[in-house]
């Protein structure tokens, strides 16, 4: 079992939810519930909540992430936040290429690759999201799509830099819909991602990369998904906003 070579990572993706005061309350509720976790626990929060979340998690095992970043260090990019800015305030992780960024905000495989490069150069850990639309699954091109997204995003990323990358397979049709991928469906794609990594970096390196599943993962279905050989954690949306549910998923990943 190569699964033992990898550390499970459970990351919450809060999306556009929670004011700083609400963020502090939620973190304080999550903290005691996950303090004995035997996996990495990350909360990715809106930009305005980062300072509060960092402060609230100082004495805990919870790491803080942002939900996007820009690649240039600074400059005339109104409304953007750079990877370097995030690093400067103590942020450790950043989600890149989430399907909501790709669908609603014009992110492409190319901009995802640029953001990934910027984040790695700034010293952030990247949660790189890939996943197919339902039409693509119905066309039978899921593996091709996910392979292509992965290869473009990792273009120019060295084996050493890959240590700072987590890949999250998130089928778009499963995000926020309550329609979770079956463990077999998720395992098939996560395994295909690991095969691409093996082609690019060799099997020994590929076996060490954390590959998450995301999309309607919850307290009820997490254990079965996380038991799959190539599923090393989860990127959790809705359920990450409820402390007991998030903690139950962390618990499932700690087994
Ligand atoms: P969901 O979102 O858990 O609410 O489906 C997952 C995600 O978008 O990362």
């Amino acid at each position: 079992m190569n699964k033992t070579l990898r550390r499970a990572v459970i990351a919450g993706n809060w999306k556009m939810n929670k004011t700083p005061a609400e963020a502090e309350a939620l973190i304080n509720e999550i903290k005691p519930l996950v303090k004995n976790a035997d996996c990495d626990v990350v909360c990715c929060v809106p930009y305005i909540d980062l300072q509060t979340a960092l402060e609230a998690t100082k004495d805990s095992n919870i790491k803080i992430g942002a939900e996007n970043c820009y690649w240039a260090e600074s400059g005339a990019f109104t409304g953007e936040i750079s990877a370097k800015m995030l690093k400067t305030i103590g942020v450790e992780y950043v989600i890149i290429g989430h399907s909501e960024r790709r669908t609603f905000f014009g992110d492409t495989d190319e901009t995802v690759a640029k953001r990934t490069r910027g984040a790695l150069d700034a010293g952030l850990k990247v949660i790189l999201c890939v996943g197919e639309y339902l039409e693509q699954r119905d066309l039978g091109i899921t593996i091709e799509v996910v392979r292509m997204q992965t290869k473009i995003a990792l273009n120019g990323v060295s084996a050493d830099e890959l240590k700072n990358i987590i890949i999250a397979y998130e089928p778009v049709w499963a995000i926020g819909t309550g329609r979770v991928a079956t463990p077999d469906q998720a395992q098939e794609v996560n395994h295909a991602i690991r095969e691409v990594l093996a082609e690019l970096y060799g099997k020994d390196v590929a076996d060490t990369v954390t590959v998450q599943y995301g999309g309607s993962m919850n307290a009820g279905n997490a254990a079965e998904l996380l038991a799959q050989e190539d599923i090393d954690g989860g990127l959790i949306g809705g359920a990450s906003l409820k402390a007991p549910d998030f903690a139950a998923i962390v618990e499932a990943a700690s087994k």
Side-chain angles (χ1 to χ4, degrees):
M1 281 278 280
N2 293 326
K3 205 171 166 71
T4 52
L5 298 172
R6 305 183 280 272
R7 180 111 175 126
V9 180
I10 298 297
N13 172 13
W14 290 13
K15 310 195 179 188
M16 197 176 72
N17 292 290
K18 304 294 174 189
T19 63
E22 290 167 347
E24 186 176 9
L26 179 55
I27 296 266
N28 285 336
E29 208 185 332
I30 293 173
K31 244 190 323 196
L33 301 178
V34 303
K35 69 174 193 300
N36 297 320
D38 190 13
C39 66
D40 287 349
V41 181
V42 185
C43 292
C44 297
V45 308
Y47 290 134
I48 60 150
D49 295 334
L50 286 169
Q51 295 274 18
T52 306
L54 286 164
E55 186 66 27
T57 52
K58 249 189 347 215
D59 53 348
S60 81
N61 57 335
I62 302 173
K63 314 271 195 244
I64 297 301
E67 300 176 10
N68 187 27
C69 70
Y70 195 67
W71 53 87
E73 285 190 5
S74 62
F77 302 103
T78 304
E80 288 299 303
I81 302 283
S82 74
K84 189 178 173 203
M85 288 166 149
L86 296 174
K87 181 70 181 176
T88 305
I89 64 164
V91 170
E92 226 174 293
Y93 287 81
V94 63
I95 298 173
I96 291 180
H98 190 278
S99 68
E100 286 149 19
R101 301 294 324 167
R102 295 177 190 255
T103 304
F104 306 132
F105 303 104
D107 237 344
T108 63
D109 288 334
E110 288 68 31
T111 59
V112 167
K114 284 180 161 183
R115 290 183 208 283
T116 300
R117 170 53 39 216
L120 291 174
D121 288 347
L124 295 173
K125 296 191 173 89
V126 173
I127 300 175
L128 170 65
C129 301
V130 296
E132 82 287 4
Y133 289 101
L134 187 57
E135 299 75 22
Q136 295 171 323
R137 175 160 285 266
D138 289 344
L139 277 170
I141 57 172
T142 296
I143 301 294
E144 283 98 325
V145 168
V146 168
R147 281 180 59 92
M148 190 175 78
Q149 291 173 332
T150 305
K151 283 179 99 160
I152 295 174
L154 295 181
N155 182 29
V157 172
S158 70
D160 202 40
E161 289 172 325
L162 196 65
K163 292 183 186 129
N164 286 323
I165 293 205
I166 291 168
I167 298 181
Y169 166 53
E170 296 208 307
V172 182
W173 46 272
I175 295 176
T177 58
R179 183 180 162 193
V180 65
T182 65
D184 283 351
Q185 284 174 324
Q187 164 61 22
E188 183 195 11
V189 182
N190 278 39
H191 182 70
I193 291 169
R194 202 173 307 286
E195 280 183 343
V196 183
L197 296 173
E199 288 165 25
L200 295 173
Y201 300 98
K203 188 174 180 315
D204 288 353
V205 172
D207 280 343
T208 63
V209 178
T210 296
V211 185
Q212 299 173 318
Y213 167 79
S216 297
M217 192 188 266
N218 61 35
N221 60 32
E224 208 186 351
L225 287 160
L226 294 167
Q228 302 299 309
E229 168 69 15
D230 289 292
I231 302 181
D232 314 308
L235 183 57
I236 322 295
S240 74
L241 297 171
K242 295 175 215 130
D245 294 41
F246 187 61
I249 298 170
V250 168
E251 164 105 40
S254 297
K255 296 228 165 82

